[in-house]
Structure formats: C-alpha cells, structure tokens
Amino acid sequence: KIPFKERIEVIAYVCQMQIKERKLTEAMWRYLVGKRYDCERLLGKHTVAKGSSIRKRGRPSLNTFQYDSSKVGTRQRLGEEYHISETTVFKYGLFMQRIDELYKYVPELATHIQIGKIRMSQEHLAELVKMTPQKLKELSGLILGADGKCKSYTMVREILDEYVPLTTVAKTDNEPQLQIKNTPDYDPDLEISSLA
C-alpha cells in the first residue's frame, strides 16, 4: 500500500515501474520516460504552489516521494537515473506530448508509433501534430491501409515525405560559412580586457 495524494502521482509511479520491464520497445521506453518527466515536473510545481517545502511541526507526512521544484532539476535527476542527458529527457517529453496529441484523432496510428511498428523522426511527428484532424485521418489510412496493418518502413517514409513536408530554413549564399578551427586574430589588449 502506497499513499498517493493525486492521480498524477500514480501515473508517475506506474511509469517508473513499467520502465523497469525488459520487454519494452524503444519507442515505448521513450514514451514512458517522457510521461514520467511530465508528471514529475507538474508534481514539482504543485508542491511549490502548496508550500509543502516548508517544514511543519508534528508528525512527518506519509508521502515519501520527493519532487524537484524546477524542470531542470527533474530532467537532471531522470537523466542520471536512466543514464541519458537531460536534453534527451526533454526530447522524450516532447515525443510523449506529440503521441498523446495523435491519440485524440488517430489512435491506431499513435499506437503503432508507440509500440514501434511505425518509426518516424521527431520532425515528422511535430508536423503531424500541426495537421488538421481530417488530413491526419487520411494519412493514417494511407499508412495503415484498409486492413489496419502498417506498411513497410520505406513505404511509410515515402508517404511521409510526400504528404508531410518538413519546414526547413534554407541557407542563403550571403551567410558566412563557419569553420571549426578558426583561430582568432591576435589581440594585444586581450589580457587587459579580460580583467574588466
């Protein structure tokens, strides 16, 4: 028996326990890490808003769970726990949010992405979320087909490249090309300016 105060605490705990399973696909693992990050980030905000960080007199609370009051602290802690960078934890949070958005309109497609049967880049997922529900249903029909079975990776990639154009910023010729090992010119006042 574990004392939980909020539903979101239960979700974070279930994610933590499910991540320990060995039979997870990579996409499902990323989704669960992102979901846990999102829940614990919200719980950190709740604890700060309630002022529970102030020590009260009397018996200690039964709740033994500690949540970081900042997003960065949550990302660092989860990154250390799962041996990934905090930026990766943030990206997994975005992945989870995009999958949840897809669940609203095309649950079959979202399920196939979540269990790893359909692989696609974060950029394609971001563009899918921006589409209208009608276009999402059309695209889901193309990818999954009439029988509900997903097509091969190359066919899905071709469909996505055709129907979901990625917005990329084109470089102009006027932009200077940055090189890795450009040493700066000698500055005789460098030592003096560094003291300032």
Side-chain angles (χ1 to χ4, degrees):
K1 294 181 178 181
I2 303 171
F4 291 110
K5 292 182 178 177
E6 301 179 42
R7 181 176 183 269
I8 201 165
E9 271 188 316
V10 178
I11 295 172
Y13 179 75
V14 169
C15 289
Q16 182 181 4
M17 292 298 115
Q18 286 296 313
I19 289 170
K20 294 178 182 177
E21 292 288 323
R22 298 194 183 270
K23 297 179 183 178
L24 291 175
T25 62
E26 182 185 347
M28 191 63 179
W29 189 83
R30 292 188 303 171
Y31 178 85
L32 288 171
V33 171
K35 189 71 165 178
R36 182 177 174 200
Y37 162 65
D38 192 51
C39 291
E40 291 189 10
R41 177 180 60 85
L42 290 173
L43 285 167
K45 286 182 180 179
H46 289 187
T47 55
V48 169
K50 290 178 183 176
S52 62
S53 59
I54 302 169
R55 180 174 252 177
K56 297 178 181 175
R57 293 183 181 176
R59 290 177 44 182
S61 172
L62 292 173
N63 189 357
T64 58
F65 300 104
Q66 299 296 320
Y67 302 106
D68 297 310
S69 58
S70 70
K71 293 185 283 189
V72 177
T74 305
R75 285 196 300 255
Q76 286 175 345
R77 183 173 45 78
L78 291 177
E80 289 172 5
E81 185 175 339
Y82 297 121
H83 306 291
I84 53 178
S85 71
E86 61 184 81
T87 310
T88 305
V89 174
F90 178 73
K91 287 180 183 177
Y92 290 173
L94 288 177
F95 175 75
M96 179 274 309
Q97 289 172 356
R98 290 169 181 160
I99 293 292
D100 284 352
E101 282 293 317
L102 287 179
Y103 261 116
K104 294 177 185 174
Y105 306 110
V106 281
E108 307 87 20
L109 181 64
T111 302
H112 279 79
I113 294 170
Q114 192 177 22
I115 62 176
K117 287 189 176 179
I118 297 176
R119 294 181 300 160
M120 64 177 63
S121 66
Q122 288 276 7
E123 291 82 13
H124 277 119
L125 267 177
E127 293 299 322
L128 282 179
V129 171
K130 295 176 186 175
M131 294 174 80
T132 62
Q134 184 179 1
K135 286 188 176 184
L136 272 175
K137 289 177 183 174
E138 289 175 14
L139 186 65
S140 177
L142 287 172
I143 292 174
L144 297 177
D147 55 356
K149 293 182 179 178
C150 60
K151 301 191 181 320
S152 68
Y153 174 71
T154 53
M155 291 178 73
V156 170
R157 183 79 187 259
E158 289 172 2
I159 291 170
L160 287 174
D161 288 341
E162 184 177 341
Y163 287 94
V164 186
L166 296 177
T167 54
T168 57
V169 179
K171 278 192 170 183
T172 60
D173 293 333
N174 297 340
E175 290 183 25
Q177 295 292 329
L178 298 176
Q179 295 188 6
I180 295 173
K181 292 192 175 186
N182 279 351
T183 56
D185 295 333
Y186 175 70
D187 185 7
D189 296 329
L190 182 64
E191 190 172 328
I192 295 171
S193 62
S194 68
L195 293 175

